[in-house]
Amino acid sequence: MDLKFIKKKIYTFVKIISTVLITSAIGLESWNIYAVITNINVPSSLNPIFWIERFAMISHFIESIIAAFYAPSRQKMPIKYATYTFFVGTIGLLELFVQQDDY
């Protein structure tokens, strides 16, 4: 198998998983905010999960800011590419900075 083929397959798999997990994190955080507003008790066993999803969302948000800043230099729309990078994570930045023939 070709290395570029394997890399493309891995990138596709990670992008799908990342999108699902970030979307789930947004839903989980929305549920947590709703629970706080309506005084519903959230099990304390979920606290580690909340911290992990918050860390992931903050990391992806920082990556999306970087992507929005550098997207115009690569002839990409900043808002569109920032949103894409927020959901797929580091792979979005790799795709932005790597030459097209390398990917």
Side-chain angles (χ1 to χ4, degrees), residues 1 8 21 29 35 37 39 51 56 61 66 71 74 76-77 82 97 103:
M1 289 189 138
K8 186 174 181 180
L21 290 176
E29 192 62 34
I37 291 172
N39 294 324
W51 283 107
F61 183 69
I66 294 168
R74 305 287 197 249
K76 308 264 186 200
M77 292 180 57
F97 291 118
Y103 177 65

Side-chain angles (χ1 to χ4, degrees), residues 5 17 21 23 27-28 47 62 64 71 75 82 96 99 103:
F5 176 76
I17 295 297
L21 290 176
T23 303
L28 187 62
N47 282 339
I62 291 169
S64 68
Q75 289 77 38
L96 182 64
Q99 296 287 335
Y103 177 65

Side-chain angles (χ1 to χ4, degrees), residues 2-101:
D2 185 39
L3 185 61
K4 287 184 182 181
F5 176 76
I6 294 171
K7 185 176 173 182
K8 186 174 181 180
K9 289 292 183 185
I10 290 173
Y11 275 19
T12 302
F13 178 72
V14 171
K15 285 192 252 185
I16 292 169
I17 295 297
S18 180
T19 302
V20 169
L21 290 176
I22 286 295
T23 303
S24 300
I26 292 169
L28 187 62
E29 192 62 34
S30 299
W31 173 67
N32 188 35
I33 292 169
Y34 173 77
V36 168
I37 291 172
T38 59
N39 294 324
I40 298 173
N41 290 333
V42 176
S44 62
S45 61
L46 292 178
N47 282 339
I49 294 172
F50 286 127
W51 283 107
I52 291 169
E53 62 94 357
R54 288 175 187 146
F55 177 76
M57 286 185 42
I58 290 169
S59 300
H60 280 234
F61 183 69
I62 291 169
E63 289 171 344
S64 68
I65 291 171
I66 294 168
F69 184 74
Y70 284 104
S73 68
R74 305 287 197 249
Q75 289 77 38
K76 308 264 186 200
M77 292 180 57
I79 299 295
K80 185 177 178 181
Y81 210 80
T83 304
Y84 171 72
T85 303
F86 177 76
F87 283 100
V88 299
T90 305
I91 291 182
L93 285 178
L94 289 174
E95 291 174 350
L96 182 64
F97 291 118
V98 172
Q99 296 287 335
Q100 191 64 16
D101 3 326

